[in-house]
Amino acid sequence: MATPTRLPLSAFIICKNEAHYIEPCIRSLDLCAEIIVVDSGSTDGTLDLLERLREEGFPIKVFQRGWPGYAAQKQFALEQCTQPWCLNIDADERLDLQLREHLPRLLAEDEAVAWRIRRRPFLVGFGYTPTYVFERPNLRLVRRGAGAYDLSKRVHEGISVEGRVKSARPGSLLHFRPLPLDEQILKENAYSTLKADQLFDQGEKPRWAKLVFNPPYYFLRLYFGRWLFLCGWAGFIQAMTGAVYSFMTEAKIWQRHALIAHPSKEPPLDGI
């Protein structure tokens, strides 16, 4: 490949069995001086693919490490970065053209220690959402040494920083994992379990108001607040899936407390 002008940027990725998704991710990072990949046991050819891309000239450094949890694995990956700026990106994400064009400006910013970046999902039956339909911007780009992950978080982990954080516009991360609803619900179920366990361990009590009102609020926030209504039925399903995640999280917190207060034991037959 032709070697582009590299930016003082380390991209870091954690992965396992991402052979179907990671190559476009890596190719969108050709402006990075360094690409850190921490693999936790791929068996689907991901490592062979990364080696092929490295031989093409991509500055990939692969680390193999057992799975300690999302936050701990990303913290390890962040610590391997050597460039002045660090970009957290998932294997199923790619930089869109606008973000690639504006990366030099973001890295040249003197005031910010970190940047929040928008993400646009690929919706089954629709495609990538338009530039004005995006998920909540998340902190993804940080100066090296200016932040770290909160290791107490089991899911929705993020970098905590001290200093000024700005929002990057224009530009987005493109999220390409077009799972049918059957598989997406399994993913939401797993994430809601991690979230419920995290909140339960932190002493979160069940509240009927959250159980009743959080799911419809979640739906409305996504459908209207994030303009998913402009994406047809695909947008409706995306927002409703988020509401299901919210409901399962609150319901699991309620059930964890209920099982402590009222352990599930079958009553004697003469008692019913």
Side-chain angles (χ1 to χ4, degrees):
M1 63 175 251
T3 302
T5 301
R6 295 273 165 76
L7 299 174
L9 175 63
S10 296
F12 62 98
I13 306 166
I14 65 170
C15 72
K16 180 180 180 180
N17 293 334
E18 295 287 357
H20 292 298
Y21 298 101
I22 199 169
E23 182 169 354
C25 173
I26 297 293
R27 292 194 180 280
S28 77
L29 300 172
D30 60 339
L31 296 176
C32 297
E34 180 178 62
I35 302 172
I36 301 294
V37 180
V38 180
D39 183 84
S40 55
S42 290
T43 57
D44 69 340
T46 296
L47 296 175
D48 292 336
L49 190 155
L50 291 172
E51 177 59 23
R52 174 170 60 80
L53 291 172
R54 190 186 66 79
E55 291 175 353
E56 285 187 29
F58 287 93
I60 300 170
K61 297 180 182 178
V62 177
F63 298 83
Q64 293 179 271
R65 188 171 186 256
W67 181 248
Y70 286 103
Q73 194 77 323
K74 287 195 174 184
Q75 179 61 33
F76 174 82
L78 175 60
E79 291 170 355
Q80 310 316 305
C81 297
T82 63
Q83 294 297 308
W85 285 89
C86 307
L87 173 69
N88 167 28
I89 185 170
D90 292 339
D92 55 7
E93 296 174 340
R94 301 88 175 82
L95 308 185
D96 73 3
L97 293 179
Q98 287 186 320
L99 184 54
R100 284 169 52 85
E101 291 174 359
H102 284 81
L103 267 178
R105 179 180 63 83
L106 301 182
L107 303 188
E109 171 68 56
D110 292 328
E111 297 180 359
V113 300
W115 290 91
R116 293 189 181 91
I117 301 175
R118 300 180 297 182
R119 189 172 82 156
R120 293 191 285 130
F122 185 99
L123 306 183
V124 173
F126 183 86
Y128 285 119
T129 59
T131 56
Y132 48 84
V133 180
F134 53 87
E135 298 173 352
R136 182 180 66 182
N138 287 312
L139 197 159
R140 294 298 197 96
L141 182 61
V142 62
R143 290 185 188 272
R144 185 164 63 93
Y149 284 90
D150 181 351
L151 300 184
S152 68
K153 290 190 176 182
R154 302 185 185 184
V155 68
H156 303 315
E157 68 293 332
I159 304 174
S160 299
V161 301
E162 293 185 5
R164 186 173 183 183
V165 179
K166 291 186 175 183
S167 293
R169 294 182 182 179
S172 311
L173 293 172
L174 301 174
H175 181 215
F176 184 78
R177 193 174 289 268
L179 298 178
L181 191 58
D182 319 55
E183 297 178 34
Q184 185 63 36
I185 288 297
L186 294 177
K187 184 177 177 181
E188 301 296 342
N189 180 51
Y191 282 171
S192 66
T193 295
L194 291 171
K195 184 68 172 181
D197 286 342
Q198 175 183 306
L199 294 173
F200 179 81
D201 291 344
Q202 292 172 353
E204 180 80 7
K205 301 296 183 183
R207 298 178 184 177
W208 70 266
K210 285 188 175 183
L211 183 60
V212 173
F213 294 113
N214 268 21
Y217 169 74
Y218 205 107
F219 171 83
L220 293 173
R221 180 165 61 86
L222 293 177
Y223 195 60
F224 294 106
R226 295 296 174 191
W227 294 34
L228 279 171
F229 68 92
L230 296 176
C231 299
W233 286 112
F236 180 86
I237 292 171
Q238 180 82 353
M240 187 62 73
T241 303
V244 169
Y245 162 80
S246 176
F247 170 76
M248 288 193 294
T249 300
E250 299 300 332
K252 288 174 183 179
I253 294 172
W254 186 90
Q255 284 195 336
R256 278 152 178 69
H257 285 280
L259 287 170
I260 293 174
H262 307 285
S264 297
K265 296 181 180 180
E266 185 176 7
L269 291 177
D270 58 4
I272 56 175

